[in-house]
């Protein structure tokens, strides 16, 4: 069978892989994008996967003409964030006080993926292999060779692994990922609420985990409850009415009575450290390159920052080939600090609030209340959420 050659093969068309393909639209590079399944058509029901998208990520999605394609009635700006510690400690981050129109936008994963897909199917320098799944992948000195399940053979100067946490490409390359299990699941569900949320995202650090309520339009919220696996199992076993009651109580009835919208789902949580994230002819992006606790809502945002950096390096490659290691190392170096900081901060916060030692309990609440009084520190925290 004839082998089709590309400059870059992107394996995985989740938000991160799709965004990279779209960002390289005017690059003059010949691209292949491979994924076993296309995104679902959006429906009137809310998606169970709902993300806080930072303004920096919004700018990237606007730049590739995807954000504009999302039904604006399904996008909700976040005007403030309330973080509640135990013992009534509280930190409030406010958009107006921080001089920005909103801290983030809340959007459905399915809506973002569908919007990206619509831009990709019109992209002249892109060939989409979907449904497509790799059977074997090998690198030689000059190129990588991918055989798909249906027997098609593709080759490329560079393979980009964007195939998520359990990356098949990473495994084929023999790159070890260190996984630290949080022994928690992220239980996600949506609810309508009795009282308006006033565009405030709320988060409680509780003995049984971290509960987050993200505002949706139409007086509704999306919940992420990161909680021990055994408690997650109990939450999933409740009837919708029982779950709504538990979640309302855990959130101190801040929005009155809640009513479940659709089914709850749970995702196991772990910290994933991957090193290296580049090899000759290979670059890892998104969850294939790093995994973080969802308490700061940073996973997709971190992945989209990989996209910006890798695209910038590829566009500025001059005489280099896309798979050249010195070029790819520029990407890895540029991403190192952001990835390490996000992993350390989210992991540190998880451990700080996970332990029940009385001294730690006191320290963390003093910490929250002190930060609440220090405007420059608060501004810094806001800036972190805006990149
Ligand atoms: C409970 C929870 C809440 C979260 N909340 C937020 C939030 O508020 N904000 C935020 O930024 N992040 C959040 N995240 C993180 C976010 O879900 C991930 O960071 C994000 O999905 C990573 O995107 P990705 O495109 O790298 O990987 P994925 O979304 O996993 O996409 C991988 C793609 O690769 C494809 N694929 C898999 N295997 C293969 C293969 N062998 N060949 C070809 N294709 C393949 C898959 O079909 C898929 O399309 C949350 C995560 C959890 C668990």
């Amino acid at each position: 069978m004839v082998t089709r050659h590309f400059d870059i093969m992107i394996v995985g068309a989740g938000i991160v892989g799709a965004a990279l393909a779209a960002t390289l639209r005017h690059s003059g590079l010949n691209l292949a994008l491979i994924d076993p399944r296309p995104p679902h058509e959006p429906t009137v029901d809310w998606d169970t996967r709902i993300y806080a998208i930072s303004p920096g990520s919004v700018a990237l999605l606007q730049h590739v003409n995807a954000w504009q394609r999302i039904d604006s009635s399904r996008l909700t700006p976040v005007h403030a964030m309330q973080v509640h510690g135990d013992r009534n400690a509280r930190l409030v981050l406010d958009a107006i006080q921080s001089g920005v129109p909103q801290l983030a936008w809340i959007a459905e994963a399915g809506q973002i993926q569908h919007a990206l897909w619509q831009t990709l199917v019109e992209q002249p320098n892109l060939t989409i292999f979907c449904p497509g799944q790799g059977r074997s992948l090998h690198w030689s000195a000059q190129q990588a060779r991918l055989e798909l399940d249906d027997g098609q053979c593709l080759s490329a100067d560079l393979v980009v692994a964007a195939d998520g946490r359990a990356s098949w490409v990473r495994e084929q390359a023999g790159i070890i990922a260190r996984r630290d299990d949080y022994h928690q699941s992220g239980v996600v569900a949506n609810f309508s609420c009795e009282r308006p949320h006033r565009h405030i995202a709320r988060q409680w650090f509780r003995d049984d985990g971290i509960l987050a309520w993200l505002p949706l339009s139409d007086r509704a919220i999306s919940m992420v409850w990161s909680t021990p696996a055994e408690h997650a199992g109990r939450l999933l076993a409740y009837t919708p009415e029982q779950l709504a009651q538990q979640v309302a109580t855990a959130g101190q009835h801040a929005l009155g009575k809640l009513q479940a919208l659709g089914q709850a789902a749970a995702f196991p949580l772990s910290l994933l450290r991957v090193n290296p994230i580049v090899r000759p002819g290979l670059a890892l992006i998104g969850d294939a390159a790093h995994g973080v606790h969802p308490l700061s809502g940073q996973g997709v945002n971190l992945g989209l920052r990989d996209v910006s950096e890798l695209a910038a390096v590829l566009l500025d490659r001059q005489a280099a080939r896309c798979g050249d290691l010195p070029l790819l190392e520029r990407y890895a170096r540029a991403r190192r600090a952001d990835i390490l900081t996000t992993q350390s901060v989210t992991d540190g916060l998880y451990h700080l609030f996970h332990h029940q030692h009385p001294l730690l309990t006191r320290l963390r609440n003093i910490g929250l209340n002190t930060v609440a009084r220090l405007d420059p520190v608060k501004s810094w925290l806001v800036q972190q959420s805006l990149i």
Side-chain angles (χ1 to χ4, degrees):
M1 185 172 264
V2 185
T3 299
R4 293 179 67 180
H5 186 76
F6 296 89
D7 295 306
I8 302 176
M9 289 190 280
I10 303 167
V11 182
I15 292 175
V16 174
L20 179 68
T23 307
L24 295 174
R25 183 187 189 101
H26 301 294
S27 60
L29 294 165
N30 187 17
L31 311 172
L33 180 65
I34 299 122
D35 200 290
R37 49 198 159 264
H40 296 294
E41 283 289 320
T43 67
V44 289
D45 297 327
W46 291 104
D47 200 335
T48 37
R49 297 302 298 263
I50 299 218
Y51 296 149
I53 302 294
S54 71
S57 297
V58 172
L60 184 143
L61 294 168
Q62 273 170 342
H63 176 69
V64 300
N65 200 24
W67 190 254
Q68 299 81 325
R69 293 176 190 255
I70 302 176
D71 175 356
S72 58
S73 70
R74 308 286 285 244
L75 297 170
T76 313
V78 179
H79 293 154
M81 254 186 87
Q82 288 178 359
V83 184
H84 304 259
D86 27 23
R87 304 197 185 165
N88 297 326
R90 198 166 91 136
L91 166 67
V92 180
L93 303 175
D94 185 273
I96 294 173
Q97 280 175 13
S98 309
V100 291
Q102 60 273 320
L103 296 175
W105 287 88
I106 306 302
E108 291 155 271
Q111 292 267 351
I112 303 174
Q113 271 176 311
H114 183 70
L116 279 166
W117 197 258
Q118 283 175 293
T119 73
L120 296 179
V121 291
E122 303 166 349
Q123 188 166 321
N125 66 332
L126 175 69
T127 307
I128 299 177
F129 295 86
C130 183
Q133 179 114 30
R135 181 190 291 164
S136 66
L137 176 59
H138 299 286
W139 284 264
S140 61
Q142 287 301 309
Q143 62 179 32
R145 229 181 110 80
L146 174 71
E147 190 187 343
L148 297 179
D149 259 356
D150 63 6
Q152 292 190 75
C153 288
L154 318 179
S155 63
D157 294 352
L158 171 65
V159 178
V160 177
D163 52 347
R165 275 183 167 242
S167 173
W168 173 81
V169 173
R170 191 179 66 216
E171 198 181 306
Q172 301 312 300
I175 295 177
I176 307 289
R178 213 182 101 199
R179 190 183 300 271
D180 291 326
D181 200 336
Y182 284 123
H183 304 289
Q184 283 192 336
S185 293
V187 178
V188 293
N190 302 323
F191 301 91
S192 62
C193 41
E194 190 182 13
R195 291 208 289 272
H197 49 58
R198 295 181 292 124
H199 294 265
I200 298 172
R202 296 170 168 84
Q203 195 169 33
W204 291 267
F205 286 84
R206 297 167 44 85
D207 286 349
D208 58 9
I210 302 159
L211 173 68
W213 290 1
L214 304 176
L216 300 174
S217 46
D218 295 341
R219 210 177 265 204
I221 54 161
S222 161
M223 170 200 82
V224 184
W225 197 339
S226 306
T227 193
E230 176 262 331
H231 183 227
R234 268 188 283 137
L235 291 175
L236 290 184
Y238 285 140
T239 63
E241 293 74 26
Q242 287 170 325
L243 179 65
Q245 169 70 38
Q246 289 286 325
V247 173
T249 307
Q252 300 158 351
H253 302 281
L255 299 176
K257 257 184 100 157
L258 301 182
Q259 203 170 352
L261 300 170
Q263 291 293 313
F267 301 88
L269 305 179
S270 57
L271 170 68
L272 192 73
R273 290 195 181 92
V274 180
N275 192 26
I277 62 165
V278 296
R279 283 267 174 84
L282 172 67
L284 274 58
I285 60 173
D287 275 18
H290 39 69
V292 294
H293 195 287
L295 68 88
S296 65
Q298 279 299 309
V300 170
N301 296 308
L302 200 57
L304 290 176
R305 298 202 286 274
D306 297 343
V307 167
S308 294
E309 199 61 55
L310 182 58
V313 163
L314 289 168
L315 291 174
D316 186 35
R317 72 190 178 288
Q318 293 166 12
R321 288 173 59 252
C322 293
D324 285 353
L325 188 59
L327 183 78
L328 299 175
E329 277 176 337
R330 274 173 48 203
Y331 156 71
R333 269 197 306 276
R335 294 300 299 134
R336 190 165 296 137
D338 185 23
I339 294 172
L340 275 177
T341 308
T342 309
Q343 287 178 325
S344 310
V345 170
T346 50
D347 190 55
L349 274 174
Y350 161 78
H351 284 289
L352 181 63
F353 282 91
H354 184 64
H355 293 290
Q356 299 306 318
H357 190 286
L359 185 61
L360 269 184
T361 310
R362 204 171 133 64
L363 269 179
R364 67 198 178 203
N365 287 299
I366 290 172
L368 265 189
N369 281 327
T370 310
V371 172
R373 269 180 257 120
L374 294 176
D375 279 347
V377 180
K378 268 184 10 184
S379 303
W380 181 84
L381 285 170
V382 172
Q383 289 310 318
Q384 291 305 298
S385 68
L386 293 185
I387 53 172

